[in-house]
Amino acid sequence: VLFRSALRFVSADLVIPGGLKVDDFSGVLATGGQWTSHEQISACLNAASDNLLIKGEVLRSKSEPTSASANCTMELISLLLGTVTQDRSGLLMLLFIDVDPIGNDGDPFYRRLLTLSEAYQSWASQGVPPDPSSGFYYSQLAAYELLRHNVSATIAASNTVKLWFSGIGPQSMDAVDTVYRLFPIIIAVSAAIVLVVVGLSFRSIAIPIRSILSIALTELFVFGWVSLVYSLDTGILEWTTSPAVTAYHVPWIDPIVAFSVVLGIALDYDVFLLTRVFELRMGSGDGEGLLSTQDAVLVGLCDTAPIITSAGIIMAIAFFGMLISAMTLLNVLGMFLVSAVLFDTFVIRTFLGPSALSLLGEASWWPRRPPIVPSRISEALDRQN
């Protein structure tokens, strides 16, 4: 009775599109498209005394069946043997749904089931009649109507019932929740590694902080752009009618993969520029610098521009192949990577990155003390030649 009340609570919910019907359930509590009566289940549980159930095997009674065992069908006996624990404290029910369990509608559906499970236990623990002001009033009413006709079951006793959901849908949802729960840790560890590696390479604190901020700017732009493209509310590229940019959802795995790949690309291009600027600023190691930081940024930008631009265009062309794929997962991932490469190549490494270095000036190398530089840039260029 208590288990049935919990299922009635879930199936009476009005938020789930179309609702859940008795036909959607299969098990001891619902057979043949109907809810199994308490009398039928009791008859099967008492059938053991009529020699119908012996050591988990279904046997025919040598005597005429009693009135109790007559209500027990072979189907129910098989279900009791296969889906109910030996101590009768748990049972298994199958739920058949019309939505894709791992599709766009699967995740909201299972989250609603979890919400209903928690709401049922919360209501049952209070032991009060249905509350019309509650968002679960119809669910409470359905469960209450069943419980109040059984003297052996009370609302408070139903608090002992716990609903657990398994299958590919809930397992997928748990996996997604676990990955995104760890995602902030992945971001923090990645930032710490960049801070340490770049800081030790250039023996500076300001340089790695600037690198992290520039990478973060690329990540923020890309994630915001993808949200604008694939959001059902905005869909700013919907006018193209291309399936590659009208998916209206982002597969859960794409942001995780894109974050790491974009970080690697952005850091790679940043190190190209920083290495050349560092060489020009620090000179040959004889105690005299070649150029001031501002001049080194100008010359370094010109020296590395062909390499970074060529690499960016090549990577963008390579990733563009994902955008013409027939799979939404590859379409969205391609949009992440193509937009990241183009934005980082033509905005961050061309304008914002060099501008930040020039504005910081000699403070870019703090706490390192850069060497002195010649008074005239022509003398520095002569030394370089």
Side-chain angles (χ1 to χ4, degrees):
V1 174
L2 299 179
F3 280 120
R4 192 185 301 115
S5 70
L7 289 186
R8 289 287 184 87
F9 189 97
V10 171
S11 60
D13 181 57
L14 299 180
V15 175
I16 296 178
L20 293 177
K21 304 177 291 296
V22 64
D23 295 341
D24 299 327
F25 295 94
S26 177
V28 173
L29 303 182
T31 57
Q34 294 181 346
W35 294 110
T36 309
S37 67
H38 178 64
E39 291 74 15
Q40 287 178 295
I41 296 179
S42 298
C44 286
L45 293 176
N46 295 329
S49 60
D50 294 331
N51 297 323
L52 288 175
L53 301 178
I54 299 178
K55 295 182 180 179
E57 296 182 358
V58 181
L59 302 177
R60 292 184 178 273
S61 175
K62 297 180 180 180
S63 59
E64 291 295 326
T66 63
S67 59
S69 62
N71 291 325
C72 179
T73 64
M74 296 299 292
E75 181 182 5
L76 272 179
I77 293 176
S78 299
L79 289 173
L80 281 170
L81 290 175
T83 62
V84 179
T85 58
Q86 291 184 357
D87 60 359
R88 299 176 184 176
S89 64
L91 60 85
L92 173 68
M93 292 289 294
L94 299 181
L95 176 60
F96 300 91
I97 58 177
D98 295 330
V99 300
D100 183 355
I102 57 176
N104 294 338
D105 299 327
D107 186 78
F109 174 80
Y110 287 112
R111 293 192 185 279
R112 183 60 183 177
L113 288 184
L114 292 177
T115 301
L116 289 169
S117 175
E118 296 171 356
Y120 175 78
Q121 295 176 32
S122 175
W123 168 71
S125 64
Q126 299 174 12
V128 296
D131 181 10
S133 63
S134 171
F136 305 96
Y137 172 68
Y138 291 100
S139 294
Q140 294 175 1
L141 188 63
Y144 180 75
E145 289 296 323
L146 177 65
L147 291 174
R148 72 189 186 95
H149 292 299
N150 293 271
V151 294
S152 61
T154 63
I155 301 178
S158 61
N159 183 42
T160 60
V161 176
K162 295 185 181 298
L163 299 180
W164 300 84
F165 301 95
S166 184
I168 185 173
Q171 290 171 0
S172 175
M173 185 181 69
D174 287 344
V176 173
D177 289 344
T178 300
V179 170
Y180 276 93
R181 186 171 60 251
L182 297 175
F183 196 23
I185 299 178
I186 296 174
I187 296 175
V189 171
S190 300
I193 293 175
V194 171
L195 187 67
V196 172
V197 173
V198 176
L200 292 177
S201 300
F202 295 95
R203 287 183 286 175
S204 168
I205 295 178
I207 287 293
I209 293 177
R210 186 209 64 87
S211 296
I212 291 175
L213 293 177
S214 66
I215 294 172
L217 186 59
T218 300
E219 298 275 8
L220 289 174
F221 169 81
V222 171
F223 276 72
W225 170 253
V226 170
S227 298
L228 289 175
V229 172
Y230 294 102
S231 172
L232 183 59
D233 297 329
T234 54
I236 60 176
L237 296 182
E238 183 180 5
W239 55 273
T240 64
T241 67
S242 172
V245 294
T246 55
Y248 301 131
H249 76 279
V250 177
W252 71 271
I253 193 66
D254 282 349
I256 307 297
V257 175
F259 170 79
S260 299
V261 177
V262 171
L263 184 146
I265 293 173
L267 181 61
D268 187 36
Y269 293 170
D270 195 32
V271 170
F272 279 163
L273 175 63
L274 287 174
T275 302
R276 184 56 182 153
V277 173
F278 180 83
E279 292 173 348
L280 293 170
R281 178 63 189 89
M282 299 303 170
S284 58
D286 56 1
E288 185 173 342
L290 189 61
L291 297 172
S292 67
T293 298
Q294 286 80 2
D295 293 335
V297 170
L298 291 175
V299 177
L301 182 61
C302 293
D303 288 347
T304 59
I307 299 176
I308 295 178
T309 303
S310 300
I313 294 175
I314 292 172
M315 294 297 288
I317 294 175
F319 291 141
F320 184 80
M322 297 183 181
L323 283 174
I324 59 177
S325 170
M327 296 178 61
T328 301
L329 185 146
L330 294 180
N331 293 154
V332 178
L333 183 59
M335 180 61 71
F336 266 112
L337 300 182
V338 170
S339 56
V341 169
L342 294 179
F343 180 78
D344 197 77
T345 300
F346 294 102
V347 178
I348 297 295
R349 301 305 149 226
T350 304
F351 298 103
L352 301 183
S355 298
L357 279 175
S358 296
L359 290 175
L360 289 173
E362 303 304 325
S364 300
W365 316 106
W366 185 86
R368 182 172 184 158
R369 297 173 66 99
I372 59 175
V373 296
S375 58
R376 297 178 59 187
I377 189 173
S378 58
E379 298 178 11
L381 293 178
D382 289 340
R383 291 188 58 203
Q384 183 184 23
N385 294 331

